[in-house]
Amino acid sequence: MVSMATKKRSPLELLSNAQCRELSGSYWKVNSAAYQFSPMAGVGSPSWRKGAEGIAFPLVDQRTGQVTAWLKMFKSSIDTRRQRVEWLIRQKLGQKSLHLTAVPSCWIDTRDSARPEGINFDFCGSLSQAVPGKSWSEWKTLMHDDGQRLDDRLRLRAAFDLLHVTAELERNSCCHGDLSPGNTVVDLQADPNEPVLRPCDFDAFVALNASGRAIQSLGTAAGGTCGTPGYSPPALQQNCLQGRNVIPESDRYGRDILLLELLGFGPKNDPDL
């Protein structure tokens, strides 16, 4: 007879839209923090974001009303995701650099901790600190549609921050794996001693010096990503389209495209190109 301590758990399914709607607005206490799942703005206006790898849900601090964390729930390779997140946490990259504070801080499984109030289903995923600002993708749209201007000094600071980010990751034998406008946050109100630019969403990270292949990288065959079209090497995208199992190898291609945009994007440029 298998004991409860050694019995392998069944994997949790990715939450449905109905379950996400049920989570919206619910209150949750985890790791001594009190959160509220961000409420929906209205019918058909979800607060969560659904992508190729899973769901990202914004968590609001009950004291300030501000989004201070993100919960990322994955649709595949859950055990591997957990192992990778826990390895990344142990590297303490956020303590080494203010630019990397959005690296996951813990893995949450409601079978081991409390469910949100009034919720009768379980879920698991990684918890990350939210960073101030808007994604570079949002800023590009604002510049194009509303004529929003970015100060040249802020552009330079953001460019230097991006160079610092990629250098710091390489120094720790890592790459982000999906540097792109949606995963790059720019804060126009940043203090002089704070970064203007920070990356988020480290799900695709690669760390070839990590022990164990499952931790080192997550190929496309196991539910990983080869990066965002236009920001990952064309050869990598082509191999992915041909059905080959690929992994991101470097952030330098995405870094260089983002540098060109940070320094030169203007209202006449198309944010989708």
Side-chain angles (χ1 to χ4, degrees):
M1 183 174 179
V2 180
S3 69
M4 291 300 293
T6 59
K7 185 178 180 180
K8 188 174 181 180
R9 288 171 164 173
S10 300
L12 292 170
E13 297 292 331
L14 185 69
L15 298 185
S16 65
N17 284 334
Q19 289 173 316
C20 286
R21 285 194 294 271
E22 193 173 343
L23 274 181
S24 297
S26 66
Y27 293 93
W28 192 30
K29 289 186 177 179
V30 59
N31 292 347
S32 303
Y35 296 115
Q36 180 186 25
F37 281 82
S38 186
M40 293 180 65
V43 177
S45 300
S47 52
W48 63 92
R49 300 177 184 176
K50 212 164 193 177
E53 295 183 274
I55 296 171
F57 220 123
L59 301 178
V60 175
D61 188 302
Q62 291 185 29
R63 298 167 300 173
T64 66
Q66 301 295 315
V67 173
T68 56
W70 285 86
L71 175 68
K72 181 65 177 285
M73 297 172 281
F74 303 96
K75 66 181 182 182
S76 62
S77 306
I78 302 303
D79 287 340
T80 299
R81 298 279 190 179
R82 177 185 58 76
Q83 293 173 37
R84 281 168 51 79
V85 167
E86 290 175 345
W87 180 89
L88 191 57
I89 291 166
R90 292 195 297 272
Q91 309 316 300
K92 300 181 178 179
L93 295 180
Q95 296 178 24
K96 297 177 182 178
S97 171
L98 288 174
H99 296 77
L100 299 174
T101 52
V103 168
S105 59
C106 64
W107 180 268
I108 298 292
D109 189 324
T110 57
R111 293 171 295 183
D112 300 319
S113 59
R115 293 172 175 170
E117 296 177 13
I119 299 300
N120 63 1
F121 52 82
D122 288 303
F123 55 85
C124 63
S126 63
L127 195 66
S128 303
Q129 177 182 325
V131 291
K134 300 181 187 297
S135 71
W136 177 238
S137 179
E138 291 174 293
W139 283 121
K140 289 199 297 179
T141 298
L142 286 171
M143 282 189 279
H144 180 267
D145 295 351
D146 301 331
Q148 173 78 44
R149 295 184 62 84
L150 267 65
D151 182 85
D152 287 344
R153 290 170 296 180
L154 284 170
R155 286 178 180 265
L156 283 172
R157 284 177 61 189
F160 279 117
D161 286 339
L162 182 59
L163 291 169
H164 178 94
V165 162
T166 50
E168 185 67 26
L169 288 171
E170 287 186 8
R171 191 176 295 117
N172 286 275
S173 301
C174 289
C175 79
H176 178 279
D178 191 11
L179 278 184
S180 58
N183 292 336
T184 307
V185 180
V186 175
D187 179 15
L188 301 189
Q189 307 300 320
D191 292 334
N193 60 339
E194 292 283 328
V196 170
L197 178 147
R198 291 181 172 99
C200 61
D201 196 349
F202 286 78
D203 305 332
F205 82 90
V206 176
L208 296 180
N209 287 348
S211 59
R213 284 186 172 274
I215 293 175
Q216 289 176 359
S217 61
L218 192 68
T220 50
T225 179
C226 60
T228 300
Y231 298 88
S232 65
L236 197 67
Q237 286 290 329
Q238 187 61 35
N239 285 333
C240 185
L241 289 173
Q242 293 173 355
R244 298 174 186 171
N245 182 40
V246 298
I247 62 169
E249 298 173 355
S250 170
D251 292 328
R252 296 189 180 190
Y253 188 91
R255 175 202 65 187
D256 292 347
I257 300 299
L258 286 170
L259 283 173
L260 290 172
E261 293 184 354
L262 289 167
L263 295 173
F265 187 90
K268 295 182 179 180
N269 296 119
D270 188 335
D272 296 323
L273 295 179

